[in-house]
Amino acid sequence: MTKACPMKPYDIHRYLQGKKELSRVYLVYGEETFLIDETVAQLKARFLDPKITSLNLNAFSGKDADIKRVASSIGAAPMMGDHRLVIVGHIDQAKKSAREKLIPYITSPPKTVYQIYTASKINGREKFYAAVKKNGMTVECKPLYDNQVPRWIESQFQKIGKKIDSRAIQQLHLSVGSQLYDLANEIEKLDIYTQDKKVVTSDHVAFVVGKWRVNSVFDLQKMLGNRQAGEAMVLMRKIIERGEPPVKIVSVLMYFYLGLIKVHTLLKHQTSRSDIAKKARINPYFIGETMTRAKRFRREELEHNLSLLYQVDLALKTSSVPVDALMERLAYQLCAKIGER
């Protein structure tokens, strides 16, 4: 079972449900620990009978593991089941010489044993990792980009049988950030708080997570959508002074303008209000004001604003321009018509 390119975490479920023979060796690596842990949990659930897991599971930490014990576990026969599972976490923290002692078990893995190794960083040219890539399956768990987080949030609520409206997604992302473990913790709280309610709203998020940052940035969006340049510049400065990360503000505004572009496009096709809300993935409660804002801009202005946000995002990450001045000017430019910029 060889896969030259690493799989992504979201491919695992489909892979495990397939009828083809599964690999015996897995390397799950990357900087996003939540996705690593989630992937390992899926593999574990697929490979072991939960009733006898304790009999056929051995877990080690690469930093402290006795490689002889790891090798012995890989070579052991399963008890009261068809397979055993050996997990070695943080294999990158083991000595290189220790990793190389496991190569024979990777190139010729026992048919009754599954092996899972996790790591933060790997050197693909090293013999151990090269052996896994050639003979096993690799899963790369990169941190999500900011524009990928809203979809991830939505998918987590789908897993627990609930929906979350678009404004609530933005609020949650803005308030908590992009760390998946932090978001998962707040999602669990929201699930408990909303109990049997099937839709999580912005009011729920404001109550559970907090109001100030959420309301301030949504007020900023309202001012930008209404082309209130002076008010937007003042509020932008206040938000920055309160310590809100500028990159996060830019990310939320990108999401805002992408939504306006979608609505602007749908309006041209004379789609009904309810259809626009559904296709643009916007809460029907807010679709009226979103349509009004979209009509205030020409398509090229919205696209220009999105391009401007990408430029500012790059400047924030690569230049030494004073942040407060850069962000205030951004607020003005987003409100101005193209000829006035």
Side-chain angles (χ1 to χ4, degrees):
M1 296 292 299
T2 303
K3 191 173 181 69
C5 297
M7 294 180 68
K8 303 302 179 186
Y10 46 76
D11 293 325
I12 283 294
H13 179 74
R14 183 170 61 252
Y15 164 75
L16 293 176
Q17 297 304 311
K19 295 182 180 180
K20 58 185 177 181
E21 182 183 354
L22 300 176
S23 174
R24 300 296 174 190
V25 182
Y26 298 83
L27 172 64
V28 187
Y29 69 97
E31 298 178 20
E32 182 48 75
T33 55
F34 181 92
L35 295 179
I36 290 176
D37 292 346
E38 187 177 56
T39 300
V40 171
Q42 289 185 70
L43 292 170
K44 178 181 173 183
R46 175 66 173 79
F47 297 151
L48 292 181
D49 182 341
K51 296 178 181 178
I52 53 174
T53 292
S54 60
L55 298 177
N56 289 308
L57 172 64
N58 290 103
F60 302 90
S61 171
K63 184 177 181 180
D64 307 314
D66 180 339
I67 295 301
K68 289 184 179 179
R69 285 190 60 201
V70 175
S72 176
S73 297
I74 295 173
M79 297 179 63
M80 299 175 63
D82 297 326
H83 300 99
R84 287 177 50 74
L85 173 61
V86 177
I87 302 174
V88 185
H90 307 292
I91 189 64
D92 51 326
Q93 295 181 15
K95 292 182 179 179
K96 180 180 178 181
S97 58
R99 286 194 292 269
E100 290 183 352
K101 291 178 181 178
L102 295 173
I103 291 177
Y105 299 94
I106 292 170
T107 55
S108 299
K111 293 184 178 181
T112 57
V113 179
Y114 290 104
Q115 304 169 55
I116 301 175
Y117 301 93
T118 73
S120 296
K121 295 182 180 180
I122 67 170
N123 179 353
R125 292 172 293 183
E126 189 183 312
K127 290 181 180 179
F128 172 83
Y129 299 118
V132 175
K133 287 184 176 182
K134 182 177 180 180
N135 299 278
M137 186 72 67
T138 59
V139 184
E140 185 177 15
C141 299
K142 293 181 179 179
L144 299 185
Y145 293 110
D146 273 343
N147 62 357
Q148 295 175 312
V149 173
R151 181 68 188 91
W152 182 87
I153 291 172
E154 186 177 34
S155 71
Q156 296 306 297
F157 279 98
Q158 288 174 347
K159 288 179 181 179
I160 57 177
K162 294 188 177 184
K163 295 182 179 180
I164 177 170
D165 67 44
S166 59
R167 183 165 182 172
I169 290 174
Q170 287 182 296
Q171 288 178 325
L172 186 58
H173 186 195
L174 173 65
S175 298
V176 180
S178 298
Q179 293 295 319
L180 300 192
Y181 261 118
D182 293 341
L183 284 165
N185 185 49
E186 297 303 323
I187 289 170
E188 183 178 3
K189 291 179 186 177
L190 283 163
D191 183 30
I192 294 170
Y193 174 70
T194 54
Q195 297 182 3
D196 59 347
K197 294 182 175 65
K198 293 299 182 182
V199 179
V200 176
T201 68
S202 55
D203 288 339
H204 297 141
V205 174
F207 182 86
V208 172
V209 180
K211 292 184 178 180
W212 187 87
R213 288 192 294 177
V214 168
N215 290 341
S216 293
V217 175
F218 276 95
D219 284 343
L220 177 62
Q221 288 182 351
K222 182 177 180 180
M223 292 172 184
L224 294 174
N226 293 336
R227 292 188 186 270
Q228 296 171 285
E231 293 91 334
M233 291 172 70
V234 171
L235 182 55
M236 178 72 85
R237 182 170 62 249
K238 288 182 178 179
I239 293 172
I240 295 297
E241 289 173 351
R242 291 257 188 158
E244 190 65 42
V247 172
K248 181 62 61 183
I249 297 171
V250 170
S251 174
V252 172
L253 293 179
M254 285 180 181
Y255 191 81
F256 171 66
Y257 280 101
L258 282 170
L260 289 181
I261 289 173
K262 288 180 182 178
V263 171
H264 195 280
T265 301
L266 292 167
L267 283 169
K268 282 192 171 184
H269 292 85
Q270 298 182 334
T271 309
S272 69
R273 181 173 174 145
S274 59
D275 282 345
I276 290 175
K278 184 177 181 180
K279 292 178 180 178
R281 303 170 72 87
I282 294 174
N283 188 325
Y285 181 80
F286 301 109
I287 192 60
E289 64 185 43
T290 304
M291 290 169 63
T292 300
R293 290 169 187 166
K295 291 175 183 177
R296 290 195 179 101
F297 294 85
R298 301 197 308 274
R299 170 74 183 228
E300 55 266 34
E301 288 179 318
L302 293 172
E303 291 177 344
H304 187 275
N305 282 356
L306 192 59
S307 175
L308 180 62
L309 286 164
Y310 280 114
Q311 293 173 33
V312 171
D313 181 65
L314 180 63
L316 288 169
K317 295 173 180 176
T318 60
S319 75
S320 56
V321 177
V323 171
D324 52 353
L326 181 65
M327 296 301 286
E328 282 188 53
R329 178 164 178 75
L330 171 65
Y332 169 76
Q333 291 178 312
L334 291 174
C335 292
K337 295 181 179 180
I338 290 179
E340 301 171 349
R341 304 183 185 199

